Amino acid sequence: MQVTFKPSGVCAQKITFEKNDDGTISDIKFTGGCNGNLKAIAKLCEGMKAEEIAEKLKGNTCGFKSTSCADQLAKAVTQA
């Protein structure tokens, strides 16, 4: 199932990914944000279960912000 999530409080404007029947997440793409870092996060999370991604990334912050693109990905996979 293709999922599109609109993050808030971060530079990225959109997160898309596939939630597979076995609960794994694949084909993660961020629109906007820090290109290199977000490509790395997507590669590291490829094939992981939504719960694993949320556990690792939830609560991560960016600078003075109370969230980050990684934290927003955790929220996205939890909601999916």
Side-chain angles (χ1 to χ4, degrees):
M1 164 178 70
Q2 175 77 28
V3 178
T4 300
F5 180 81
K6 182 167 176 33
S8 62
V10 296
C11 298
Q13 295 104 19
K14 182 171 71 171
I15 303 170
T16 59
F17 57 89
E18 286 288 330
K19 183 167 185 184
N20 304 305
D21 292 338
D22 63 357
T24 59
I25 304 297
S26 62
D27 200 28
I28 303 166
K29 291 188 175 68
F30 291 83
T31 302
C34 303
N35 190 319
N37 290 335
L38 297 177
K39 283 180 182 175
I41 289 170
K43 282 183 179 184
L44 291 170
C45 292
E46 181 73 20
M48 292 176 68
K49 299 257 185 200
E51 298 81 17
E52 293 174 293
I53 294 171
E55 183 181 314
K56 290 183 182 293
L57 301 180
K58 183 180 178 186
N60 189 64
T61 60
C62 181
F64 62 88
K65 298 174 184 176
S66 62
T67 189
S68 67
C69 292
D71 182 55
Q72 291 294 299
L73 176 60
K75 290 178 182 179
V77 299
T78 300
Q79 288 181 11

